[in-house]
Amino acid sequence: MAEIDIRRVGKTYGKTVIMQGVDLTIRSGEFLVILGPSGCGKSSLLRMIAGLEEISSGEITIAGQAVNHLEPRERGCAMVFQNYALYPHMTVAENIGYALKVAGVAKAQRLARVTDVAQSVGLSEFLDRRPGQLSGGQRQRVAMARAIIREPKVFLFDEPLSNLDAKLRVQMRHEIRRIHNRIGATSVFVTHDQHEGMTLADRLVVMNKGTIEQIGTPEDIYERPASTYVAGFIGSPAMNLLPGRLSDDRRAVVLESGPRIDLPGPATGLNPGALVQMGFRPEKASLTAPGRGTIEARFDFVEELGAGRVYHLRIEDIPVSLHSEAKMKLAEGASIGLDLGHQNLHLFDGQTGRRVPLSVEMPQLAPTA
Amino acid sequence: MIERTPWLNLATHLILILGLVMILLPIWLTFVAASHDLQTVNTAPVEFWPGPYLLDNLRTAWVESDFGPKFVNSLIVATGVVIGKITLACITAFALVFFNFRGRMLIFWMIFITLMLPLEIRIVPTYAVAANALSPFQTLLDVTGITWAVQTLSGLQIALEWNLLNSYTGLILPLVATATGTFLYRQFFLTVPDELVEAARMDGAGPLRFLWDTLIPLSKTNIAALATIMFVYAWNQYLWPLLVVTDRAAYGVVVVQLSDLVPDNLTTGGGTPNWHIAMAATLMVMLPPIAIVIFMQRWFVRGLINTDK
Ligand SMILES: Nc1ncnc2c1ncn2[C@@H]1O[C@H](COP(=O)(O)OP(=O)(O)OP(=O)(O)O)[C@@H](O)[C@H]1O
Ligand SMILES: [Mg+2]
């Protein structure tokens, strides 16, 4: 158990700056997920915590101790890699017990620990096999066991599930969460899969091009995305964004296409007439008869999901999507009404992309900050 | 696409057989010649079938050339070269691939350049160094004036000397200092995934531990290949042992000894063309490399079949 404090950390490769001024405190024992698209610097951040990558600027402390100049083995972290990185010439038992062997633990004791840990991840029958003779899921378990056996203060995961098929991925996800709950070590999990992130995380960090876009609980991030970037990244399908201007009384948005849409509260932070983006979640809006909703749209096509459908529509020329369980037969180009759900509207600054708080939100924001 | 027609099959087989004959025929002729007596060997046309004197000829050749100690010498040299070469190649490649230090590429290219300077080309300077392995340092001291300074100050004459002539060290070292093995290892080390290196670091293994616990076990087949090549290479050396060893009785190797048995203008001036004895000796000298190749072949095959690399 250890708190990890990341203070103004930056990373440069040669002259390229890939990360700048990252501030993040990871609480002791929490499961933190770092989410972001490919190349945003998730792995780099994780590897700086692990000690595999030099920290170019700033400071990282683990359990109060600055680790900038400590070797990986001195930091008390264990890591699970994307490609498992098992030693191909060692048996499963040797793979799991290698860290103990290096640490000089006596053979009998080592064997006992290996047997224990192998049992806890369901590998007992495979101890004599080589990694090459295991399935992907079993290899993943070996990698987990290898990390668990060291009883680390910190668990680091770099997209450990991305090489597994969908079903196994869900299964391993649950297993990782179960192990975390049992051991209680601080876990940092890197992924670009939002489902993985949302389901595993106590708190979620959304990264974008080497900076942190938002930190919060999965619920926070879904309900109150801090920027259009986060809004567009979380949720599937992503949040719909419509460009417009703030009305004179700041209580509505006048869309470029003409209609005026009332906001749940006044946007006090912006000037009247400011450029804004109005967002609504596909699953929070609903279809109505033409002329009866907040806004008119035209039908494009529909995707069947089994549990519901995704309707693809156009508001003027802007494509939007809508998730609904209603089964409707619509002809292409047919006109239809959209009820946006007044309470579920989000407002973003049209210039900076940051969220604009609507005053009714204020009491909600306080406890999560 | 690999085409499979009867005619093509036949043609490929013919070519294969032709190649095999070209390789095996000289060996067969050696064997045949080794099993006849002096008259038969020296009468034309060449005999194609073995005669009854093989064991006699082998015995004569063995005794006449004093092969016992020579075989021991050759084995020592070849084994020394194999061990030295593998160790050197492994650690230099390790440093070049896994460490980021200043001048890494420079060192890499310097090693690369030695590929263009095999022992035969630099044999004279190498001999000079072998005569006194410390002579480069002596020269350095002389040129910088340190020798002179020390002599005038203390009256002591600095004379560094380490003679490698007539020694196993002298026979082995120059054959070890070549780049081939380093390249083999470098290529292999480059295929080792970064994650494996990092996993070892996370597990607390230092560089040497990683080398010993992971890289060396993974490169077993490489070691087998390199050992075979280097053994045969060292065993077959002729020019260098001929130069560096003057005390043949103590440090002579089989290949040089063998050349003494081969009748040429010098030896047959008044004597006899002892081709049958020379051929019998050749058979014996060929055996160890063949044995090594056959023995090591199992490792190659195992390495090729093992796919969990
Ligand atoms: N050794 C390196 N030298 C130069 N640039 C690098 C190096 N390693 C990473 N980068 C750059 O740093 C950025 C962040 O890389 P990083 O591996 O952290 O991304 P990531 O978020 O983990 O992406 P992915 O999801 O694809 O793994 C990328 O733009 C990458 O090109
Ligand atoms: Mg990555």
Side-chain angles (χ1 to χ4, degrees), chain A residues 38-39 41-44 47 82 158-159 190 192:
Chain A
S38 186
K42 312 178 292 289
S43 300
S44 303
R47 291 156 52 80
Q82 179 172 359
D158 194 350
E159 309 201 17
V190 159
H192 60 248

Side-chain angles (χ1 to χ4, degrees), chain A residues 21-343:
Chain A
V22 167
D23 275 307
L24 175 63
T25 302
I26 304 168
R27 297 175 195 142
S28 184
E30 89 173 319
F31 200 114
L32 184 102
V33 173
I34 302 178
L35 192 59
S38 186
C40 72
K42 312 178 292 289
S43 300
S44 303
L45 185 58
L46 194 76
R47 291 156 52 80
M48 284 194 280
I49 300 174
L52 295 172
E53 204 80 69
E54 209 185 321
I55 301 165
S56 308
S57 64
E59 186 181 59
I60 296 182
T61 65
I62 299 178
Q65 190 190 10
V67 295
N68 284 37
H69 300 292
L70 292 188
E71 279 290 301
R73 63 166 168 267
E74 299 162 322
R75 299 189 182 195
C77 305
M79 186 150 167
V80 179
F81 295 88
Q82 179 172 359
N83 301 313
Y84 321 130
L86 303 178
Y87 308 112
H89 58 293
M90 297 185 194
T91 62
V92 169
E94 286 166 337
N95 261 288
I96 299 175
Y98 185 63
L100 297 186
K101 187 177 167 192
V102 173
V105 176
K107 193 165 182 187
Q109 208 181 337
R110 208 160 74 211
L111 220 65
R113 294 260 303 273
V114 169
T115 319
D116 269 1
V117 171
Q119 176 132 40
S120 75
V121 294
L123 278 174
S124 301
E125 323 152 43
F126 306 109
L127 284 177
D128 293 328
R129 297 228 198 142
R130 295 278 165 86
Q133 301 161 317
L134 297 177
S135 72
Q138 289 160 346
R139 281 183 218 186
Q140 181 62 64
R141 276 167 222 267
V142 178
M144 296 284 301
R146 194 168 63 168
I148 295 171
I149 200 166
R150 295 177 47 205
E151 300 177 351
K153 292 183 283 186
V154 175
F155 262 114
L156 305 172
F157 301 86
D158 194 350
E159 309 201 17
L161 305 181
S162 54
N163 284 356
L164 302 177
D165 67 52
K167 199 172 158 205
L168 204 54
R169 198 180 300 179
V170 173
Q171 197 183 327
M172 287 306 298
R173 198 159 84 196
H174 297 162
E175 207 144 321
I176 287 177
R177 187 64 221 205
R178 218 168 285 138
I179 288 169
H180 171 80
N181 291 349
R182 182 155 48 88
I183 295 176
T186 312
S187 301
V188 186
F189 189 105
V190 159
T191 180
H192 60 248
D193 179 337
Q194 53 162 316
H195 285 293
E196 225 166 84
M198 295 292 272
T199 50
L200 274 172
D202 291 330
R203 284 199 305 155
L204 207 54
V205 172
V206 181
M207 284 189 73
N208 177 22
K209 293 186 194 136
T211 57
I212 291 181
E213 199 80 19
Q214 186 172 6
I215 308 173
T217 62
E219 194 193 344
D220 254 346
I221 287 182
Y222 177 80
E223 303 280 352
R224 288 174 287 281
S227 63
T228 49
Y229 177 81
V230 178
F233 194 73
I234 302 287
S236 72
M239 185 184 280
N240 300 300
L241 293 169
L242 301 171
R245 283 181 187 278
L246 200 60
S247 66
D248 290 339
D249 58 0
R250 299 186 191 158
R251 291 184 165 272
V253 172
V254 182
L255 295 186
E256 278 176 7
S257 48
R260 174 190 156 103
I261 295 171
D262 287 333
L263 293 167
T268 41
L270 286 179
N271 295 327
L275 277 175
V276 293
Q277 300 245 44
M278 198 204 65
F280 67 95
R281 293 249 176 235
E283 55 275 25
K284 296 281 167 84
S286 50
L287 295 171
T288 63
R292 301 273 310 272
T294 332
I295 195 170
E296 293 293 299
R298 293 193 175 276
F299 176 75
D300 235 354
F301 64 98
V302 69
E303 277 177 308
E304 182 65 55
L305 298 180
R309 301 166 139 198
V310 175
Y311 291 87
H312 291 266
L313 316 163
R314 282 175 185 279
I315 297 177
E316 294 301 314
D317 268 342
I318 303 160
V320 297
S321 53
L322 191 137
H323 189 260
S324 165
E325 279 171 28
K327 290 199 193 293
M328 283 191 216
K329 273 227 173 315
L330 291 168
E332 197 187 323
S335 182
I336 189 155
L338 267 184
D339 184 356
L340 297 184
H342 183 64
Q343 288 303 323

Side-chain angles (χ1 to χ4, degrees), chain B residues 262-301:
Chain B
V262 176
D264 58 16
N265 285 337
L266 283 171
T267 46
T268 48
T272 43
N274 278 327
W275 283 110
H276 54 313
I277 305 294
M279 290 301 142
T282 308
L283 279 187
M284 290 188 284
V285 172
M286 275 185 336
L287 276 182
I290 291 177
I292 287 284
V293 170
I294 290 173
F295 175 75
M296 286 299 195
Q297 198 185 5
R298 288 201 212 146
W299 283 92
F300 296 132
V301 175

Side-chain angles (χ1 to χ4, degrees), chain B residues 41-74:
Chain B
V41 154
N42 284 298
T43 39
V46 175
E47 189 66 51
F48 262 103
W49 301 108
Y53 299 104
L54 180 64
L55 287 179
D56 292 334
N57 292 345
L58 288 176
R59 200 174 301 120
T60 317
W62 184 273
V63 173
E64 207 169 284
S65 323
D66 189 21
F67 259 173
K70 305 293 183 299
F71 263 89
V72 173
N73 286 344
S74 275

